[in-house]
Structures are given as C-alpha cells and as structure tokens.
Amino acid sequence: HTAAHLLSRAPRYHDAGDAGDTGDALTRAFAGELAHSFDVMPGATPLLRELTAARIPTALVTASPRSIAALVLPRLGHRFDEVVAAEDTRRGKPHPDPYLEAARRLGAHPSRCVALEDSPAGVTAASTAGCHVVVVTRTGLPTLREIRSIA
C-alpha cells in the first residue's frame, strides 16, 4: 500500500516498476536497516518476562511483513504465542482485522485483550477491534502492574 501511494505521488517514477516491485525494494531496504540498527523499546524485556511468568498469552500484531517480523523476533528474547503480520489479514491497520485475528488465534475475546500501540493506525485498529489500548512512546513500556490498573 505504501509503495502504491508513493508511486501515485511521484509521476516521474511510474516507469520504475509496479507497486509490488517497489514494495519489495522498500522491504529489503528496511531489512538492511534493521540488520545495522535496532533498539528494543525500554521496558519491553522486563514486561515480556513478567507476561511469561504470569502465563499471559501474547501476540505480536505488526503491519510489517512476516519477513521483517522474523528479523525482529529473535532480538526480543520472547516467544510470542501468535504473530499476526501484514499478509495474515486482508486489511491491515488502521482496520481492526489484525487485532481480531490475533484475539481469535489466542482464543480470547478482544475485550479481554490489551494492545500496546505506538502509532495512530495501530491505536485505531486495536480500539476498533474492542481491545483495551495502552499508547506507548519511545520513553518505554509500562509494567504489568501498570497495565492491570488500566485494563
């Protein structure tokens, strides 16, 4: 979708290939950037440990393709119960489909799910799906205790 949007805004590049080719090139470039630089958000590692210790199922819901998620997941040191990537639903964020799919896979009603989101599209997707939403910033993630007090 991003590639098609970029090509529609830059007429001089219409002959550069189709949106699929451009999207593949963008994904490869992003993967290359991840190989050189990747920071785990502050608080992510302790929160994921807390969730594991409490036996709370987790899902990673990403607008990125599965190939990008596969590069990030090993660096998080956590085994998510489910991963919902861009190609897993017909419509991505800001539509609720990815969060509805994650809840379905976890066997949970969306109203029993808490989504940690850092983008407007993600917040819209999660809240429209019926999840509790915690908006996070680069300053860090909340603790499990803080999340429980919100949800």
Side-chain angles (χ1 to χ4, degrees):
H1 298 290
T2 300
H5 176 75
L6 290 173
L7 289 174
S8 74
R9 298 284 191 242
R12 67 179 175 209
Y13 294 111
H14 278 278
D15 295 333
D18 67 11
D21 293 339
T22 302
D24 290 344
L26 289 170
T27 298
R28 284 192 304 277
F30 185 49
E33 288 297 316
L34 285 175
H36 292 87
S37 174
F38 175 82
D39 295 322
V40 175
M41 187 175 284
T45 301
L47 176 59
L48 291 170
R49 282 192 197 122
E50 287 180 301
L51 292 168
T52 298
R55 295 188 172 146
I56 295 173
T58 57
L60 176 67
V61 179
T62 179
S64 294
R66 188 164 298 282
S67 62
I68 296 297
L71 295 172
V72 173
L73 286 169
R75 298 181 189 181
L76 296 178
H78 176 78
R79 184 168 172 9
F80 286 88
D81 296 285
E82 296 294 337
V83 176
V84 177
E87 53 271 74
D88 293 331
T89 57
R90 189 176 66 78
R91 300 180 309 169
K93 299 174 184 180
H95 299 285
D97 306 26
Y99 277 102
L100 293 171
E101 179 63 15
R104 184 192 68 74
R105 289 182 186 184
L106 290 173
H109 191 276
S111 66
R112 305 256 315 140
C113 298
V114 176
L116 302 176
E117 266 296 344
D118 64 351
S119 73
V123 169
T124 300
S127 61
T128 304
C131 302
H132 297 273
V133 181
V134 176
V135 178
V136 299
T137 65
R138 294 301 301 166
T139 59
L141 294 174
T143 64
L144 182 55
R145 173 187 258 169
E146 292 167 327
I147 292 171
R148 284 184 167 156
S149 72
I150 295 167

